[in-house]
Amino acid sequence: MQHANRLVIELTGVVKRYGRDTTEPPHRAHALEPHTNGPTGAPLRARALDGVDLQVRAGEIFGFLGPNGAGKTTTIRLLLDLLRPTLGKVRVFGQDPRSAGPALRRRIGYLPGDVRVGTRQSAHELLTHLGQLRGGVSDARIRSLAERLGLDLRAPIRRLSKGNRQKVGLIQAFMHDPELLVLDEPTSGLDPLLQREFLAMVREASDRGRTVFMSSHVLSEVEQVADRTGIIRDGHLVAVESVDELRTRAVRRVEVVFGHDLPDGAFSEVSGLEGAEVHGRTLRGRLTGPADSFVKAAARHEVVSFLAADPDLEELFFTYYAERGGRHAA
Amino acid sequence: MLRSVWTKTLWEGRNGIVLWSVALAGVSLMYALFYPSINQESFAQAMESFPEALMLAFGWDDLTSAAGYLGSTVFGLLAPILMIVFAIGLGTRAIAGDEEAGTLDLLLAHPVSRARVVLERALALAVSLTVATLAVFGAIVAARGVAELDALSVGAIAAASLHLLLLALTFGTLALALGAIGGSRSLALSGAAIVAVLGYFGNTIARQVDATRWLATLSPFRYYEGGAPLRNGLQVGDATVLLVASALFVAVAVVALGRRDVGA
Ligand SMILES: Nc1ncnc2c1ncn2[C@@H]1O[C@H](COP(=O)(O)OP(=O)(O)OP(=O)(O)O)[C@@H](O)[C@H]1O
Ligand SMILES: [Mg+2]
């Protein structure tokens, strides 16, 4: 298939600095190095993105992970031409978002990180309007999505709760069945049941050949749907990995309660388990990589309860961070 | 009603348009109906005791004629102030307000160009102001027979109303342009308001003295009332100046919004 490896999103050396003069000509690149001063002598604003190279292929679900302020929203808004790169190249479907304009955005569904639609109108009115800006979306489609997410379309938007506003945002992103979905923290504000429904919607879109680019703080939700993930921190893309690779690096907090007191040193030799502590019948520790040997060791005893917490993203970031020899530290 | 950006903008602003129109019509009607009590010998005599400079400064030199009365009350002060406040509010909301509220983000992520959003918002502004102007025009025409204002032709009232519309449009588009440049509500609002206040007093004060009279040509108010449209009918040149200024502000807004980051 000719388009199987077609790039849907391509960022090359993208630098983004907020503030005036956001699009510097390349020959002034040297003036943009960190810790230098601008033409007026004032220190230049920090770079929200500092040389990001990223590629997302057609049909892929790409998870974009990073802590607060890492640059996820900045990256996403560059794709929609809401922001312009200071340096570097942004391409969506091979086109520059700035010059391709409305025709390119027709092919994209976008969920803002903070869905804000402060009007008195009803959700139905707003969604119909947004659909018409896209050349018309059938009412049946809007209603079926609303039903699926459990949104009351008649409610005035201004009075909707955070989660319900998020549903409005999701519906407008999905309703025209776009070729590319760009979703900024799509599950924020959704309860666990709706998070599952959302992940199902992402999988269905992917089955239809759509490309999905979604940002998140939560590894577990990305891990459930994504094919690949990018990890960004302080404006640097520190890793792009398949979900399987990521999983083996993840550090999980585990807590097991046994039916009887444990013998001394029962879990000291288990590979992947660090910081094991035994208090009476309870074992706590941090598990990295394959869980196999830990589960088998635990299975030799009577297990009352078993908890493996969601991987801690900060710790995951830290492993990547430390690995790079603190290149971006300081 | 929801097919395009401008109809949607109008639809969302419908309450404001109705309220402002009712207020403007009410004020105009009130003043027009008050005219018979001023159009009397005793009042004219009383006015003669005021210092002439003061009368000139406030444009009260001819308060007893129909044109003089409406020109210094409805069209001289209240309607322009209300219309300009309404226009600056709308112009500020058009881009900067929407941007600060975070809602411009979602709109611009749709297949509409930034230029189209600016132009459609400007169109909605113009239509809103037209409705409000028609309320003023309608109220005065309606009061004309009752209030002994028939010395004024409907055409003259229409001319003054058109000048009023263009004056408000100038300030509305100025606020829109400032909002498109800076993305800040307070900047757009205060910037346009300052120009309005300076323009008003600049025009009033500058024309008192020969040496500074040229300064008044910088004020939009000069093109609003300088040619006395209520007496002399439509001043094509003056109206064109206001129209061109408005178009220029819209053009500036298109260019400014097209060049910068949105919501940053
Ligand atoms: N409008 C702005 N003006 C100036 N700096 C900004 C602006 N928006 C973001 N930044 C800065 O850019 C950096 C990246 O922000 P961004 O919003 O992209 O992070 P994020 O990964 O989306 O974070 P979060 O998880 O909190 O949503 C941050 O340091 C932030 O302070
Ligand atoms: Mg964000």
Side-chain angles (χ1 to χ4, degrees), chain A residues 215-234:
Chain A
S215 80
S216 177
H217 295 118
V218 193
L219 180 59
S220 63
E221 77 180 23
V222 165
E223 152 183 85
Q224 285 177 58
V225 287
D227 303 307
R228 286 195 307 147
T229 48
I231 294 185
I232 187 168
R233 177 170 187 139
D234 284 343

Side-chain angles (χ1 to χ4, degrees), chain A residues 1-304:
Chain A
M1 281 219 301
Q2 182 222 343
H3 75 270
N5 279 321
R6 205 185 51 185
L7 295 180
V8 171
I9 295 174
E10 194 181 4
L11 303 188
T12 320
V14 170
V15 171
K16 177 62 194 174
R17 189 193 297 281
Y18 284 97
R20 291 269 150 211
D21 291 332
T22 49
T23 48
E24 301 277 350
H27 66 266
R28 285 183 57 192
H30 65 277
L32 289 161
E33 285 312 311
H35 314 303
T36 59
N37 294 345
T40 57
L44 284 169
R45 206 95 62 102
R47 294 171 164 189
L49 295 179
D50 196 0
V52 171
D53 298 295
L54 178 70
Q55 292 168 349
V56 178
R57 294 184 283 267
E60 221 177 5
I61 301 180
F62 192 92
F64 199 41
L65 287 165
N68 289 127
K72 302 182 295 293
T73 300
T74 304
T75 306
I76 283 177
R77 299 184 78 240
L78 283 166
L79 302 177
L80 289 138
D81 190 40
L82 294 166
L83 303 176
R84 273 86 187 249
T86 308
L87 288 172
K89 203 174 78 173
V90 178
R91 293 288 178 272
V92 179
F93 295 114
Q95 295 170 288
D96 179 357
R98 180 164 190 181
S99 54
L104 179 61
R105 292 196 293 274
R106 197 177 297 281
R107 304 165 70 181
I108 307 176
Y110 166 60
L111 174 75
D114 184 8
V115 181
R116 291 201 281 178
V117 265
T119 65
R120 248 172 288 119
Q121 64 194 323
S122 70
H124 186 256
E125 225 178 303
L126 176 77
L127 290 168
T128 307
H129 169 64
L130 293 179
Q132 276 166 346
L133 292 181
R134 295 193 174 279
V137 169
S138 82
D139 204 46
R141 170 83 177 152
I142 293 175
R143 286 185 191 286
S144 84
L145 280 169
E147 196 169 320
R148 182 163 186 190
L149 294 173
L151 175 72
D152 179 5
L153 283 172
R154 289 161 310 175
I157 300 223
R158 220 162 33 182
R159 288 204 214 113
L160 290 182
S161 67
K162 164 110 177 75
N164 282 320
R165 258 185 295 139
Q166 191 72 3
K167 293 179 197 172
V168 174
L170 282 172
I171 294 174
Q172 62 81 30
F174 277 84
M175 67 185 179
H176 55 294
D177 192 18
E179 286 169 73
L180 170 63
L181 283 155
V182 178
L183 312 170
D184 197 355
E185 291 180 36
T187 58
S188 77
L190 297 183
D191 64 41
L193 223 68
L194 277 160
Q195 292 188 10
R196 277 229 309 269
E197 198 58 51
F198 161 74
L199 293 178
M201 283 166 62
V202 168
R203 277 190 210 102
E204 286 162 29
S206 173
D207 291 344
R208 285 194 304 275
R210 309 308 184 217
T211 308
V212 182
F213 184 86
M214 58 185 268
S215 80
S216 177
H217 295 118
V218 193
L219 180 59
S220 63
E221 77 180 23
V222 165
E223 152 183 85
Q224 285 177 58
V225 287
D227 303 307
R228 286 195 307 147
T229 48
I231 294 185
I232 187 168
R233 177 170 187 139
D234 284 343
H236 295 267
L237 194 67
V238 289
V240 176
E241 305 225 40
S242 74
V243 166
D244 292 335
E245 283 173 277
L246 204 63
R247 219 174 255 145
T248 62
R249 287 174 179 270
V251 181
R252 289 167 203 271
R253 199 168 45 77
V254 290
E255 183 180 307
V256 186
V257 180
F258 297 95
H260 51 78
D261 286 344
L262 293 170
D264 277 349
F267 283 84
S268 55
E269 305 276 287
V270 173
S271 80
L273 186 67
E274 290 166 34
E277 278 177 48
V278 178
H279 294 286
R281 302 178 171 189
T282 307
L283 168 80
R284 293 196 186 87
R286 298 177 333 126
L287 187 64
T288 317
D292 187 65
S293 86
F294 173 68
V295 171
K296 284 180 176 153
R300 282 190 232 119
H301 309 274
E302 180 196 350
V303 176
V304 176

Side-chain angles (χ1 to χ4, degrees), chain B residues 35 62-73 149 151-152 230-231:
Chain B
Y35 177 64
D62 177 29
L63 213 47
T64 52
S65 79
Y69 176 74
L70 280 186
S72 52
T73 55
L149 287 165
L152 277 180
L230 208 50
R231 245 183 273 270

Side-chain angles (χ1 to χ4, degrees), chain B residues 191-211:
Chain B
I194 288 170
V195 174
V197 170
L198 289 182
Y200 181 77
F201 286 106
N203 178 49
T204 310
I205 295 164
R207 68 176 177 192
Q208 308 294 319
V209 188
D210 276 337

Side-chain angles (χ1 to χ4, degrees), chain B residues 22-165:
Chain B
V22 168
L24 277 158
V27 164
S28 307
L29 205 60
M30 230 170 59
Y31 272 94
L33 293 177
F34 194 61
Y35 177 64
S37 57
I38 278 181
N39 187 17
Q40 281 168 5
E41 281 299 304
S42 56
F43 194 85
Q45 280 158 13
M47 294 299 285
E48 267 162 30
S49 61
F50 282 110
E52 195 170 330
L54 183 83
M55 307 281 287
L56 238 107
F58 283 89
W60 288 346
D61 43 319
D62 177 29
L63 213 47
T64 52
S65 79
Y69 176 74
L70 280 186
S72 52
T73 55
V74 176
F75 287 105
L77 200 64
L78 277 160
I81 287 180
L82 289 175
M83 284 290 287
I84 287 170
V85 170
F86 182 39
I88 291 180
L90 289 175
T92 299
R93 218 175 314 153
I95 300 294
D98 206 9
E99 186 169 1
E100 279 196 8
T103 46
L104 191 62
D105 186 78
L106 189 60
L107 175 60
L108 290 180
H110 280 74
V112 290
S113 69
R114 296 185 186 188
R116 182 178 148 197
V117 169
V118 170
L119 292 174
E120 294 205 20
R121 288 273 157 90
L123 178 60
L125 169 72
V127 172
S128 308
L129 294 178
T130 304
V131 172
T133 305
L134 285 174
V136 174
F137 172 75
I140 291 175
V141 168
R144 199 167 140 261
V146 193
E148 303 166 18
L149 287 165
D150 14 27
L152 277 180
S153 70
V154 172
I157 300 172
S161 302
L162 186 61
H163 277 252
L164 177 66
L165 169 63

